[in-house]
Amino acid sequence: VGYSQGMNFVAATFLMFLPEEEAFWLLVVVMNEDPYKLRDLFSRNMTATHEVLYIAENLISQFLPDLYEHLENEQVNISMFATQWLMTLFTRSFPIKLVAKVWDVFLCDGWRIVYCTMLAILDSIQEDLLKRNFEQMISFLKGFPPSVNCDLVIATASSIPLQHQHIYDHAIKFRMLRESGEMLVEEIPQSRFIRRPESVDGRSMCSLPNINKVHRFVSKLKRSTREISVQDLSDKLTPIAGEPKFAVLLANVLSVEECDGLIKRAKGEQFEDVLMRRTSSTGPNELAAAIANCRRSMVEDFDLTSELFDRVAIALQGTDLETKLQHAPWVNKENANALTATGLNDRLHFLRYGAGQFFAPHRDSRFRKGSEISHITMQVFLNHNFSGGMTSFRGGKRFLDVKPKAGSVLLFDQDLRREECEVFGGRKFIARSDIMYAPTAA
């Protein structure tokens, strides 16, 4: 398998009812045999996950049309809440009483009970959801379920006139759309430096999906061609950093509408004060208002971060900057290809700066995950309707200011010292994550 997060909840549920060996063999069966085939949910390109979410979206449209229309109007993608339900067959967050009943039927009858249970759960909260806007729905679903009437959900699920043929028909349509090219299902490659863009006069031309509209796992080909301009800041930073450093500014990576959508999503998250890790402290993280007094929320979204990374990687293809982004050669000067970029850290930080807020000069901490480590920060500017708020690289008395513009992306070596200057009016929104690197395979 290529993606195993979520499988642990299924295995843990089995272990609650069965001895270890029997739990193992049951996991083998549901992973590999019909009518379950859970293995495809966790394959490298997550083929079945694309299909399951497509089916779920169409069933919600069919059986809960008012709710579906409301979700569409508020730009709430089905995948924002249904992914964990369906990938783990409700084992991640629902009461064990409900989970046990769903799995009893699933083992005998297959996927129909899973979709019916999803519809029954949504039907039970439909009235609440219809009263809420995007931010309120995301907040509500994020904390759901505080409690569930398991008997009512199962009774409702049992009464839904969904047939196996309905599921099969949607699955066939999905496969036809995928094979015809009308719907794109992207694999998750070892390295994302594999697709070649078209170019005009040496400038990268990227066909980009709208981030607000795309299905989280299925990018529908409602695409517009955008021209991304690339500015290498390395020469300007040399006198500031004292040596050549990697820094690139890409303009027009996101549209204004996509930026607005991400700001809207950020507002639906819980913001908190930025916490600073003091190297001299042995205690817990402390609020360092004198160093930073902005606000931050964090989300984990593999597909959004993958899409952002792809756009940048494609824009740099065919340039000298491509190799630098792909291998971070300054980290190991004796072997420039010792590392290879694996993509963005799934964790995305939304940062909000109001009037009087700032982030004093600092270096970004490296993020470690297993054998992977970050070396480059990706910072996405989501708006520019504020005053002040420059991003400034500092070195002694020298500095280089970067003026934020909605849709621009700033990439830079995490050894660089950077300041987010004080905002004088309005609110500044940025999103940032880390480009991760792993040892290059032999």
Side-chain angles (χ1 to χ4, degrees), residues 4-20 22-28 30-31 38 42 87-94 96 99-100 103:
S4 58
Q5 186 176 344
M7 201 186 304
N8 54 321
F9 294 104
V10 175
T13 301
F14 292 172
L15 288 169
M16 293 178 67
F17 296 94
L18 298 170
E20 288 185 8
E22 291 181 19
F24 169 78
W25 287 113
L26 179 57
L27 182 65
V28 170
V30 298
M31 286 289 286
L38 297 189
F42 305 98
M87 282 194 74
T88 67
L89 276 68
F90 307 104
T91 58
R92 184 180 186 275
S93 55
F94 283 84
I96 192 63
V99 171
W103 272 88

Side-chain angles (χ1 to χ4, degrees), residues 364-403:
D364 286 344
S365 300
R366 302 202 188 284
F367 185 85
R368 296 178 182 272
K369 183 178 181 181
S371 62
E372 298 181 9
I373 183 172
S374 67
H375 290 291
I376 292 175
T377 292
M378 176 186 288
Q379 181 159 301
V380 184
F381 297 111
L382 300 179
N383 69 327
H384 53 248
N385 54 336
F386 53 87
S387 58
M390 292 280 195
T391 295
S392 184
F393 293 103
R394 299 281 172 171
K397 295 182 179 181
R398 297 175 181 268
F399 63 91
L400 173 65
D401 287 340
V402 177
K403 185 176 182 180

Side-chain angles (χ1 to χ4, degrees), residues 239-255:
I240 297 171
E243 59 178 321
K245 290 288 186 181
F246 178 84
V248 181
L249 180 64
L250 300 95
N252 203 35
V253 177
L254 279 72
S255 68

